[in-house]
Amino acid sequence: MASAEHGRDASASDRVTAVTTLADLPLIASGKVREMYALEKPGEEPGGSLLMVASDRISTYDAVHPTPIPDKGRVLTGLSVFWFRKTGHIVANHLISATDGVPDSERGRALVVRRLGMLPVECVVRGYITGSGWKDYQASGSVSGIELPAGLRESEQLPDPIFTPSTKADVGHDEAIDFERAAALVGDRELMARVADAAVELYSFAAEHARAAGVILADTKFEFGLDEHGQLVLGDEVLTPDSSRYWPADGYEVGRSQPSFDKQYVRDWATASGWDRKPPAPPIPQDVVAGTRARYIEAYERITGEPFAAWLARTGCAGDGPAAASGSPDAT
Ligand code: Q0Z
């Protein structure tokens, strides 16, 4: 991915790391805690590239706190890359690079990815009954049109993981839909079946890996797209704590809600503070920030089996100081 191809910055040197600053890039999407920028081939068609940047912002109860969690964006980006590299045998993915083409200021927290035509459904897989799935099950005995055994208790493992798609709501909450509605939205039932199979296989692979590291992957959400050749490609972030429910395996108990691996300190503190869970979310005290940061790093280290510092070193942001990037490794 040569920087000389980025016609937007003809005067830049050949070193991709020097090609641009973030402010030069057109912002094409922004979420509560991350941003997406166009890189080469601006336009809407698949085939160009994008820069996905994970911030250190954190949300609880759907509201973003004004206090960042240092390194959260880098942990999530490192985890996405870990899973992209481990699951390429199941389905192709959009990752191009975590180094080449990433602006110095965003190293470790950003990925260059292939631009896809995204499918208009969220591909949720559940291995445990919790959250909105638990609510739907209590009300109807089924989730996304899948009838479940009677007598399940909160947080119980399902006999087999289930594919429970939902709509992509612009504002507010995604709505659970059944497979047939998802297929109609996608416009291709056979493609939807391949997506569902890939999603369940990805979940099963990751859940087994996580369990061996003492972490339960209760559920997760994938987004897929089609590339410029019409090939199915896994996009977005994958199997991060923001797109998934990770629970510590020790202390897991059926019959109650489980603590979040990463966010529980913030939730506990926020609840004790008397916050009514309506925006604006309150600032987070520094001891809660430090504890939460440690949990994110622990999640990275447990799941990947390597020190978080290895990710920082590989992406050239170790130490994070003004001089840290020069002369650092450039491989991922
Ligand atoms: C991802 C999102 C984010 C806000 C669109 N490879 C791709 N090609 C085209 N579109 C997307 C992707 Cl991943 C795409 N989102 C979700 C990500 C900020 C929204 F970083 N929306």
Side-chain angles (χ1 to χ4, degrees):
M1 199 54 42
S3 62
E5 291 167 19
H6 298 222
R8 151 187 52 67
D9 190 2
S11 68
S13 78
D14 281 342
R15 291 182 58 249
V16 285
T17 51
V19 76
T20 190
T21 65
L22 210 53
D24 295 335
L25 300 174
L27 178 70
I28 61 164
S30 87
K32 284 203 296 272
V33 300
R34 59 216 179 105
E35 275 81 39
M36 173 115 66
Y37 299 86
L39 286 174
E40 58 184 29
K41 290 200 195 171
E44 306 272 297
E45 278 69 50
S49 59
L50 303 172
L51 186 73
M52 272 186 37
V53 183
S55 76
D56 289 340
R57 300 192 294 277
I58 187 171
S59 67
T60 61
Y61 308 113
D62 275 333
V64 179
H65 293 266
T67 320
I69 306 297
D71 288 325
K72 172 177 179 271
R74 289 181 178 134
V75 164
L76 268 60
T77 297
L79 280 169
S80 269
V81 167
F82 173 80
W83 288 117
F84 279 136
R85 298 214 183 290
K86 266 205 124 52
T87 60
H89 65 288
I90 299 173
V91 64
N93 62 65
H94 70 163
L95 176 62
I96 296 173
S97 180
T99 52
D100 199 2
V102 175
D104 285 351
S105 65
E106 310 308 310
R107 279 182 164 252
R109 70 172 62 262
L111 299 179
V112 178
V113 302
R114 292 195 276 156
R115 189 169 197 150
L116 308 172
M118 300 306 288
L119 303 183
V121 292
E122 311 263 17
C123 297
V124 178
V125 182
R126 301 170 190 275
Y128 294 74
I129 190 74
T130 185
S132 66
W134 172 239
K135 286 220 156 53
D136 293 350
Y137 171 73
Q138 285 178 290
S140 71
S142 50
V143 185
S144 290
I146 299 169
E147 198 172 322
L148 296 174
L152 290 175
R153 293 170 294 162
E154 185 174 12
S155 306
E156 190 167 352
Q157 186 171 19
L158 298 169
D160 293 290
I162 54 173
F163 179 67
T164 62
S166 58
T167 59
K168 284 184 185 177
D170 277 354
V171 288
H173 274 131
D174 298 338
E175 181 198 349
I177 52 177
D178 65 14
F179 177 87
E180 295 303 332
R181 279 207 38 199
L185 280 170
V186 165
D188 181 338
R189 198 172 188 284
E190 192 247 10
L191 173 62
M192 198 62 228
R194 281 199 288 133
V195 167
D197 286 350
V200 170
E201 208 180 324
L202 287 164
Y203 168 85
S204 299
F205 177 88
E208 190 174 324
H209 178 100
R211 191 63 191 78
V215 183
I216 292 171
L217 177 62
D219 54 36
T220 194
K221 183 205 78 179
F222 301 108
E223 294 195 32
F224 291 86
L226 300 178
D227 70 10
E228 66 273 33
H229 311 294
Q231 296 295 304
L232 179 65
V233 178
L234 176 61
D236 209 58
E237 61 179 329
V238 286
L239 297 157
T240 71
D242 276 6
S243 68
S244 316
R245 279 195 182 85
Y246 282 106
W247 297 333
D250 62 359
Y252 167 71
E253 226 177 71
V254 169
R256 58 163 170 80
S257 68
Q258 307 299 304
S260 157
F261 195 95
D262 48 305
K263 289 182 174 173
Q264 203 56 43
Y265 291 160
V266 179
R267 289 188 183 144
D268 289 350
W269 170 81
T271 299
S273 77
W275 176 41
D276 59 8
R277 299 183 183 179
K278 291 191 286 224
I284 306 168
Q286 282 312 302
D287 60 321
V288 177
V289 168
T292 301
R293 176 174 180 269
R295 289 297 276 177
Y296 278 106
I297 291 170
E298 184 180 349
Y300 181 91
E301 295 186 338
R302 278 208 210 183
I303 290 165
T304 67
E306 73 170 11
F308 179 57
W311 170 251
L312 300 180
R314 273 209 305 293
T315 53
C317 59
D320 204 23
S326 78
S328 50
D330 194 83
T332 297

